[in-house]
Amino acid sequence: MNLGDCKVNPLGRNGGMNKDKPFKMFVGYDQREDIAYEVCRHSILKRSSIPVEIIPLKQSDLRKEGLYWRERGQLESTEFSFTRFLTPYLANYEGWAVFVDCDFLYLADIKELRDLVDEKYAIMCVQHDYTPKETTKMDGALQTVYPRKNWSSMVLYNCEHPKNRVLTPEVVNTQTGAFLHRFQWLEDEEIGSIPFVWNFLEGHNQVVEGNPRTFPKAIHYTRGGPWFEAWKNCEFADLWLNEMETYLQETKKKVEN
């Protein structure tokens, strides 16, 4: 997808989800975590029974397109800390689209996630009650604590909802982290909830033996995943490493052919 083609059509409202079109998923991209992005992308496409369009949110491209000019703050642990909020704009304010951090591993069909959408909400997400114990994460980035932490790490956006038209490049580049990450452009009742298994926090959420409803559909390695040396033995590291190996093998075969 060429970000330069993402011009807003003020008449482009299609009345909700069009299931004939590919489901758009914008994945946060950070140069330090290229392999995490590739494995996340692979895990989505491998299990999806519906057409999915995956767009990496590359800050460098967004800057070239004139859509992102914000200076990086000291508390931004990734390159997509704020670019994520451009999702409705990049989706042309049409239909539903997902933003997700790159440090996710999907274990279920994305159709199941799409089928959770409810038109009455402006956004939907896992509403975590999460206070991290660690003071650092990933490769030494400062771990911050704030209300609604991790809510914005995977969001289903009802891009046509009038409230989401607030999220213009100007607003995304100038508003505070609190305004954006806490969804302060919305009322509480405009934020829908989805089951925690779609944003299963490694090291925080737990699988309950004998209860299949607690098994993750998407693992979020929010503290740091096995692509970082310090987190190579984290919980569910084996699942991510297996997915990476499959991705690398498939990539090698494509190159050889």
Side-chain angles (χ1 to χ4, degrees), residues 186-205:
L186 300 173
E187 302 299 325
D188 288 355
E189 61 268 21
E190 293 167 330
I191 304 172
S193 179
I194 62 175
F196 79 95
V197 290
W198 284 104
N199 189 345
F200 188 103
L201 302 179
E202 179 275 329
H204 173 70
N205 293 126

Side-chain angles (χ1 to χ4, degrees), residues 3-227:
L3 294 174
D5 294 335
C6 295
K7 306 302 181 185
V8 176
N9 173 8
L11 302 177
R13 299 179 61 80
N14 60 17
M17 167 99 44
N18 184 337
K19 293 188 177 182
D20 294 328
K21 290 187 176 181
F23 192 41
K24 281 189 168 65
M25 297 191 68
F26 293 85
V27 181
Y29 183 88
D30 192 300
Q31 297 175 74
R32 300 168 304 158
E33 298 183 89
D34 177 77
I35 189 62
Y37 164 78
E38 293 292 355
V39 171
C40 176
R41 178 180 183 274
H42 182 271
S43 71
I44 294 168
L45 295 177
K46 175 181 174 182
R47 296 169 177 85
S48 181
S49 64
I50 59 172
V52 181
E53 182 182 2
I54 298 178
I55 304 107
L57 274 185
K58 293 187 176 182
Q59 189 183 122
S60 57
D61 290 347
L62 292 164
R63 288 187 182 279
K64 287 175 187 174
E65 296 291 343
L67 300 177
Y68 193 72
W69 57 89
R70 188 175 190 130
E71 290 186 17
R72 185 160 182 171
Q74 292 183 340
L75 298 180
E76 292 179 49
S77 59
T78 67
E79 294 177 17
F80 48 86
S81 292
F82 288 103
T83 58
R84 71 187 67 214
F85 299 106
L86 289 169
T87 293
Y89 176 87
L90 295 175
N92 206 31
Y93 299 112
E94 293 180 353
W96 284 78
V98 174
F99 168 81
V100 63
D101 287 3
C102 65
D103 54 356
F104 271 66
L105 177 70
Y106 281 84
L107 303 175
D109 187 345
I110 209 69
K111 180 182 182 296
E112 295 180 37
L113 179 64
R114 188 196 67 177
D115 289 348
L116 294 175
V117 303
D118 188 329
E119 297 292 341
K120 72 181 180 184
Y121 297 116
I123 67 168
M124 300 181 72
C125 64
V126 176
Q127 299 183 7
H128 289 294
D129 180 12
Y130 173 60
T131 303
K133 302 179 183 69
E134 301 79 18
T135 56
T136 60
K137 62 178 180 176
M138 297 189 296
D139 56 351
L142 182 65
Q143 179 70 273
T144 54
V145 179
Y146 52 87
R148 295 182 172 177
K149 185 171 178 66
N150 265 311
W151 287 30
S152 64
S153 58
M154 191 187 78
V155 180
L156 287 84
Y157 282 95
N158 184 353
C159 300
E160 298 187 9
H161 194 285
K163 287 284 191 77
N164 287 332
R165 286 188 170 262
V166 167
L167 295 177
T168 62
E170 181 68 29
V171 165
V172 172
N173 279 280
T174 57
Q175 268 292 353
T176 64
F179 177 86
L180 294 167
H181 284 281
R182 300 179 199 174
F183 310 127
Q184 289 180 352
W185 71 93
L186 300 173
E187 302 299 325
D188 288 355
E189 61 268 21
E190 293 167 330
I191 304 172
S193 179
I194 62 175
F196 79 95
V197 290
W198 284 104
N199 189 345
F200 188 103
L201 302 179
E202 179 275 329
H204 173 70
N205 293 126
Q206 300 293 321
V207 175
V208 177
E209 189 174 352
N211 185 353
R213 291 186 177 182
T214 63
F215 193 80
K217 292 180 181 289
I219 300 170
H220 183 189
Y221 299 88
T222 183
R223 302 184 301 168
W227 55 95

